[in-house]
Amino acid sequence: MTVRQTQTTCCYCGAGCQLLFTTDVEANKILDVHPVQGRTNDDKACLKGWFGWDFLNDPKILTKRLRAPMIRKGGKGSPLEVVGWKEAISFVADNLTKVKAKWGPDSIMGAASARGPGNEPNYLMQKFMRACVGTNNIDHCARICHAASVAGSRQTIGEGAMSLSIPEIEDAEVIFNIGYNAATSHPVVARRIVKAREKGAFIICADPRITETARISQLHLPLKGGTNLALTNGLANVIIQEGLEDKAFIRDHTKGYEAFRELVLGYPPERVGEITGLSPDDIRLAARRYAGSRRSVILWGMGVTQFSQGVEVVKSLCSLAMLTGNFGRPSTGTGPVRGQNNVQGTCDMGVLPDVFPGYQSVADPEARAKFAKAWGVKSLPTEPGLQLTRVPERVVHEKDPAKRIHAYYIFGEDPAQSDPDLAELRETLAAIDFVVVQDIFFNKTALFADAILPATSWGEHDGVYTSSDRGFQRIRKVVEPVGDIKDDWEIICLVSTAMGYPMGYGNTEEIWNEMLDLSPKFTGATYGKIERQGSVQWPCLDKGPADTGTMYLHKGGHFATPDGRGIFGTAHYHPPTEVENKDYPLTLCTVREVGHYSARTMTGNCRTLRNLEDEPGWVEMSPADCLSLNVSANDLVRVLSKRGAIIARCLPTERVRPGAVYMTYQWWIGACNELTISSLDPTSRTPEYKYCAAKVERIEDQDWAENEVRRIYTDIRSSMGIAREDARA
Ligand SMILES: Nc1nc2c(c(=O)[nH]1)N[C@H]1C(S)=C(S)[C@@H](COP(=O)(O)OP(=O)(O)OC[C@H]3O[C@@H](n4cnc5c(=O)[nH]c(N)nc54)[C@H](O)[C@@H]3O)O[C@H]1N2
Ligand SMILES: Nc1nc2c(c(=O)[nH]1)N[C@H]1C(S)=C(S)[C@@H](COP(=O)(O)OP(=O)(O)OC[C@H]3O[C@@H](n4cnc5c(=O)[nH]c(N)nc54)[C@H](O)[C@@H]3O)O[C@H]1N2
Ligand code: SF4
Ligand SMILES: [Mo]
């Protein structure tokens, strides 16, 4: 037996943990996995790092690996048939070419992937959409995640990423944690918060729920859901009223302070207390503690961004940090902790409708000329493209066929599970003339595909991921892929070449080098340097060994804005779009599950993780609400909103407020996105996943409900071609 050891980066969250795999080379089997020393993780991993690789064995628990290309030869409604690559590629290329010829390049939409593929295929995907198709209609899941952080931070401090690094968190003196549940979402980042607490940090946790961070905090602010902006304006109000602002920093490094000051003066703690349900004294205490330290850190997550006012809250958080001079030194600054393993990277690669790789604007003629020259095309599209959350608007709500999206190339996303208001999304996917799904698993979106292109997975290919804190790290092949499948970058090259724009590379490093030369922020981060250092944080401008990358941004108060000054910003608070009412008296908030990950194609196919939690998923409810609805732990209940109804299991918990129920979006049966609302932030177009009106109903006949759960599960699996006998609910 030949035993090989390979180090790689975890494929789940943006913490970027380093894992060491031991494999039996001849048997092509993983023998052992354990975490090893890395810049962000020390030598730790969470349960997904330890157990989240079993899907590589394709145990077909939830769904199955894609092993060969499939197309609907007979058009829509005909069955998916297994074909060879040659036929599949010409089918995809011909159909995309036809749509382009008939409706123009902007009738084609592309979605790329913050997950397994890594940076190189994402770079190629946006290059394909821009240079071959001729549109900026390219986006990815950052849209439904931290797009509000990118927009809000860029508008204030000029850079959309975390200003500090994960390891710096533990030396913060004050942590203001808002709308972020590290213990579930980034367990290895949560360790840094715990360490900070042990070292004496003061932790303020603004979350309607009693999360683990709330539990270890000295000050929990259990605000009413959807009231963040009132709170952040209130904090600024106290800081200014009590003279705690950093006057020199404001004078030397910022602009727009007067308008900001005037607006927040309308938010005295008493008024904010009424809106948020918090005590005015707690608001004062939070403001004093935050402003009272030179090492204050703000960490935020989806409880900030997934609201129709997400961008304004981000601007106001960046403004709080400027107001108190908390930028540009170690262990201070702003931390929008990016979710997916490579969502930072997918943004870095320009998989966004308005920027090329390295955040160079598509509206900038110089940038366009540079990319056009390098990519060998006469010109590149000038208008920013479509955000993926607006696809339904441009399909089912668009009367003029000439303005509709007619083809959708979905590479490594599962919108039929993860986008809001799934009934509308299904109607959209069904109405699009041609849908391509390029994935590793048969997911719910694949049910709508006209062509399925099967890719190698994390663990089966090489590349680079970017961790949440701007750290480029290598991923490496651990086992050989099985079946008639190809690397994502190779598939994109084949489609592009077949459409008349030849692309060819020998390996991922060649792609990476092309990208580096076009992206000044990243130019110094060669494979060699990443290899030597383990991790290179951008900006890294120079290829020489002296430039080792950048730990924290905005050194000396120099912001990444055109004139180097930060720009204050905030807005008036308004409530979420759909509030509780007579028919739907509860609020529904959707969050995460520690052992399962996003659309769950991967963790749902890992035996240990499946054994911890399985369908139909839970609805967290306060004991008071359980009592009034006469439901108890483990009962199957019906959860309804204006948009749909699903079955989930009741989980009574003191951690949630009466009147608010919480679900996770991982489940097929308890699919909370049947209920969520597609109301979007006007700037970032991020959906309001964290707030809509709902109700919960008791189901009298529990035996019927248990059978119903089994039936739905078997039906979904058999529609994916998975044998009945494998099905378990
Ligand atoms: N209700 C509700 N919904 C939410 C959220 C919420 O809080 N509430 N959160 C939102 C957020 S923050 C996010 S980021 C999204 C995530 O939503 P998605 O991006 O749709 O979810 P993932 O599970 O990450 O799915 C990615 C797809 O990529 C595939 N994949 C993985 N690796 C590879 C690879 O190497 N190559 C290819 N080709 N495919 C691969 C997987 O099989 C899967 O089908 O969900 C959003 N949806
Ligand atoms: N195990 C696991 N880990 C994951 C993922 C996963 O699916 N599973 N997904 C990854 C992804 S894609 C992402 S983006 C990250 C997300 O990680 P987080 O940002 O932690 O996401 P959530 O748990 O959705 O929401 C965070 C918190 O916001 C709170 N919240 C809700 N409404 C409000 C409000 O009005 N105000 C405030 N202040 N708080 C509110 C919720 O109670 C919740 O505790 O996690 C990543 N990590
Ligand atoms: S914390 Fe995130 S990166 Fe680390 S092992 Fe867990 S899922 Fe993987
Ligand atoms: Mo995310």
Side-chain angles (χ1 to χ4, degrees), residues 600-635:
R600 198 166 126 259
T601 53
M602 290 146 91
T603 53
N605 282 306
C606 296
R607 281 161 278 208
T608 308
L609 300 176
R610 183 280 313 270
N611 290 345
L612 289 174
E613 290 296 345
D614 202 357
E615 298 280 354
W618 301 95
V619 50
E620 291 187 7
M621 301 171 64
S622 77
D625 288 331
C626 291
L627 200 65
S628 71
L629 288 160
N630 191 20
V631 293
S632 27
N634 292 313
D635 282 0

Side-chain angles (χ1 to χ4, degrees), residues 115 117 306 414 418 438-439 443 488 590 592 599 601 673 689:
R115 298 301 314 288
Q306 289 175 337
D414 191 5
S418 55
Q438 179 170 319
D439 210 285
N443 61 15
D488 284 304
T590 61
R592 278 155 176 82
T601 53
N673 280 327
Y689 286 121

Side-chain angles (χ1 to χ4, degrees), residues 64 93 113 148 163 183 195 379 386 522 605 616 675 715-716:
K64 60 176 181 184
S113 186
S163 83
K195 277 201 180 165
S379 65
L386 188 70
F522 315 141
N605 282 306
L675 314 175
D715 282 358
I716 298 175

Side-chain angles (χ1 to χ4, degrees), residues 621-658:
M621 301 171 64
S622 77
D625 288 331
C626 291
L627 200 65
S628 71
L629 288 160
N630 191 20
V631 293
S632 27
N634 292 313
D635 282 0
L636 289 170
V637 295
R638 191 171 274 115
V639 191
L640 307 92
S641 79
K642 247 166 118 173
R643 291 156 293 280
I646 46 111
I647 294 176
R649 229 175 262 289
C650 170
L651 179 63
T653 169
E654 301 278 358
R655 287 182 186 249
V656 311
R657 298 160 57 103

Side-chain angles (χ1 to χ4, degrees), residues 10-17 19 44-49 185-188:
C10 176
C11 64
Y12 292 105
C13 85
C17 299
L19 304 172
K44 300 293 185 292
C46 79
L47 77 172
K48 294 183 294 303
S185 308
H186 299 109
V188 167

Side-chain angles (χ1 to χ4, degrees), residues 12-14 48 141 145-146 177-182 184-187 206-209 211 223-228 231 300-304 306-307 337-340 589-599 662 665-666 690-691:
Y12 292 105
C13 85
K48 294 183 294 303
C141 72
C145 181
H146 265 296
N177 181 103
I178 172 166
Y180 175 47
N181 182 15
T184 298
S185 308
H186 299 109
D207 197 306
R209 286 192 304 168
T211 58
L223 76 175
K224 176 169 167 47
T227 63
N228 288 328
L231 172 63
W300 74 83
M302 298 298 101
V304 162
Q306 289 175 337
F307 278 105
V337 194
R338 304 303 295 264
Q340 310 256 49
C589 178
T590 61
V591 291
R592 278 155 176 82
E593 187 84 30
V594 69
H596 284 290
Y597 197 89
S598 288
Y662 286 74
Y665 67 102
Q666 270 74 31
K690 291 284 183 275
Y691 208 101

